[in-house]
Amino acid sequence: MNYSGNTDFASDDRVIRAGLVLSGKNFDPIVDGAVVVRDEKIIWVGSAQAAPAADFHFPDLTLAPGLIDAHVHLFDPKGLGTDHEPSEAEKVLAMVGNLSKFLSAGVTTIRDLGSPGTLGSEIRDAVDSGKIVGPRMVVANRCLTITGGHGYQFGIECDSEEELRRAVRQLLKDGSDCVKIMASGGFVHHRRSEGGSLYFPLFTFNEMKAIVDEAHKNGMHVAAHAQNKDAIEMAFETGVDTLEHCTFTAKPTATLDEDLVKRIAASGRPVIPTVNNYWLTVGVPWAEKEIALGNLRRLYDLGVNMIAGTDSGIPTTTPDLYAEGLRVFHEVGIAPDYILRSATTAAAAAIGLADVTGSIEPGLSADLVGFGGNPLEEIDAYFRPRAVFARGQLISAVA
């Protein structure tokens, strides 16, 4: 198969050859395939027999699109403990250190949904300019919450439509790519339980609509942390672009509102359920393991567009454990091609990068990962990233 966009190869083009290449948006397999890269972009994909001599040859690897984590906190003080307030230097060191850990896991793009001040956009710019090596970043910087609400430690506290519109404008000024709002309370607080805030929306409908309108007017998408049914529905109805967590937290048990889920599925609106290493080990805080896993499977059965995201930054969920989230999808019976799509093509579209990355085809960034095994055939392949390319540059390769 040849996706040739440009067959006039140049002497400085780089050729990456692999035993199997999962090409295009449908992951069409090319046995003994090759990818030709010029500068940072893919210019050709096809049989290695029709390509120039390989600069990199991985005969035993499956070459797939670089993975995407659509929900991370590159820095989260909860992940470092609460004995003291970290200095700016400690925050930067922690964030930069996590960049390399993501790359080693095969993750070449992340969306940072909440970090202190403008550190997220500053580190993004440093990566983009080549000052430091890291995955491509989409950043929210500070989240929007109510006074004392979930995430206030690294957020902007707002209690009126006027304050919220001003805050969105400030985020734009700060260099944010997107807006993260706390539509409900959460489960991690360094001083106290968030109690009832888990079970009702933090903002009014008009307040949330003001956030979405102001963000969209300024070209930013909106992600909403939403745990309970009313917060999820409000976020959906006000036009929030991605629904984060979407757990349907309630007392006495977390129960899906299937009519609402069907509406979300029909819209194609992305849901990032933030599956991670907790789900199959210690469990999640909003439901017993069987209920949480059953609800996740039901989202899939009802046709929801679920996207891979780990909430990396919460305690003990670290970048190197990215593949554990994909294992959770596998354990509830989600199809292998859906899982790979959730971590690549669908994820790129969800965070506004469909024209930049997410699949192996001409015109897109050469973000690639070579797995020891075919992820469409074995989930354990995700745990064996043997070669990682970010923007066409070889980042790591292991035997």
Side-chain angles (χ1 to χ4, degrees):
M1 185 175 295
N2 183 351
Y3 292 93
S4 174
N6 183 347
T7 55
D8 297 323
F9 301 121
S11 60
D12 57 351
D13 291 341
R14 280 153 292 137
V15 180
I16 305 165
R17 182 176 176 179
L20 184 67
V21 175
L22 302 179
S23 63
K25 290 182 170 57
N26 293 320
F27 313 122
D28 299 315
I30 305 174
V31 176
D32 192 15
V35 178
V36 181
V37 178
R38 179 172 299 164
D39 298 323
E40 296 183 0
K41 291 189 175 182
I42 298 167
I43 66 164
W44 186 91
V45 184
S47 169
Q49 306 308 312
D55 297 280
F56 306 97
H57 189 195
F58 306 108
D60 300 324
L61 301 188
T62 297
L63 198 64
L67 303 174
I68 297 172
D69 193 328
H71 188 129
V72 314
H73 299 281
L74 200 56
F75 173 81
D76 191 330
K78 296 185 290 295
L80 296 183
T82 58
D83 292 334
H84 74 288
E85 173 64 26
S87 68
E88 288 298 297
E90 287 177 305
K91 294 174 185 177
V92 171
L93 289 170
M95 293 173 78
V96 172
N98 281 333
L99 293 179
S100 62
K101 294 175 184 176
F102 274 117
L103 288 176
S104 295
V107 177
T108 56
T109 299
I110 60 174
R111 184 175 60 159
D112 188 332
L113 289 182
S115 55
T118 59
L119 290 182
S121 54
E122 292 179 71
I123 290 176
R124 174 204 62 203
D125 292 348
V127 171
D128 287 346
S129 67
K131 293 177 182 176
I132 57 177
V133 176
R136 178 178 284 99
M137 294 175 62
V138 173
V139 302
N141 286 314
R142 293 175 289 171
C143 63
L144 301 187
T145 189
I146 62 171
T147 297
H150 187 62
Y152 79 89
Q153 303 96 322
F154 51 90
I156 304 176
E157 296 169 291
C158 303
D159 298 304
S160 70
E161 291 180 44
E162 181 181 1
E163 289 179 355
L164 288 164
R165 288 187 182 276
R166 183 182 297 114
V168 171
R169 294 167 189 160
Q170 182 63 51
L171 291 173
L172 181 68
K173 178 182 176 182
D174 290 345
S176 301
D177 300 302
C178 61
V179 176
K180 166 73 175 299
I181 63 176
M182 298 303 190
S184 74
F187 289 90
V188 182
H189 193 290
H190 71 289
R191 289 180 182 158
R192 57 173 174 78
S193 165
E194 293 191 41
S197 69
L198 295 168
Y199 308 110
F200 58 79
L202 298 188
F203 296 110
T204 67
F205 184 94
N206 287 339
E207 287 170 341
M208 200 174 297
K209 192 71 169 66
I211 298 169
V212 174
D213 288 348
E214 196 66 33
H216 287 178
K217 182 170 66 178
N218 287 289
M220 296 188 288
H221 70 262
V222 181
H225 164 108
Q227 298 281 10
N228 59 75
K229 183 260 183 182
D230 289 342
I232 296 166
E233 187 168 31
M234 187 182 295
F236 176 69
E237 291 184 346
T238 55
V240 163
D241 299 281
T242 64
L243 303 170
E244 313 297 317
H245 312 304
C246 211
T247 56
F248 287 89
T249 299
K251 291 181 177 180
T253 188
T255 304
L256 296 185
D257 182 316
E258 296 211 352
D259 288 338
L260 174 56
V261 171
K262 289 175 183 177
R263 289 166 54 204
I264 293 170
S267 74
R269 198 85 56 88
V271 169
I272 295 84
T274 54
V275 288
N276 54 41
N277 57 303
Y278 272 37
W279 286 64
L280 298 176
T281 54
V282 299
V284 296
W286 60 84
E288 295 180 5
K289 184 185 298 185
E290 293 73 17
I291 292 172
L293 293 173
N295 285 350
L296 183 68
R297 171 69 200 210
R298 193 65 183 141
L299 290 175
Y300 172 66
D301 288 340
L302 292 173
V304 169
N305 177 24
M306 291 192 292
I307 305 299
T310 62
D311 212 2
S312 180
I314 63 174
T316 75
T317 295
T318 52
D320 53 295
L321 296 175
Y322 175 86
E324 293 288 355
L326 303 185
R327 189 192 294 281
V328 175
F329 280 155
H330 171 77
E331 288 297 317
V332 299
I334 293 176
D337 61 330
Y338 184 109
I339 295 173
L340 183 55
R341 192 170 293 111
S342 79
T344 56
T345 55
I351 64 176
L353 295 179
D355 296 332
V356 177
T357 190
S359 59
I360 302 178
E361 55 186 314
L364 297 188
S365 179
D367 300 329
L368 311 164
V369 55
F371 291 113
N374 184 349
L376 295 177
E377 296 178 352
E378 54 169 323
I379 194 67
D380 286 347
Y382 289 109
F383 294 83
R384 299 192 294 268
R386 300 294 188 239
V388 180
F389 292 82
R391 307 189 201 213
Q393 297 299 313
L394 179 64
I395 302 301
S396 64
V398 296

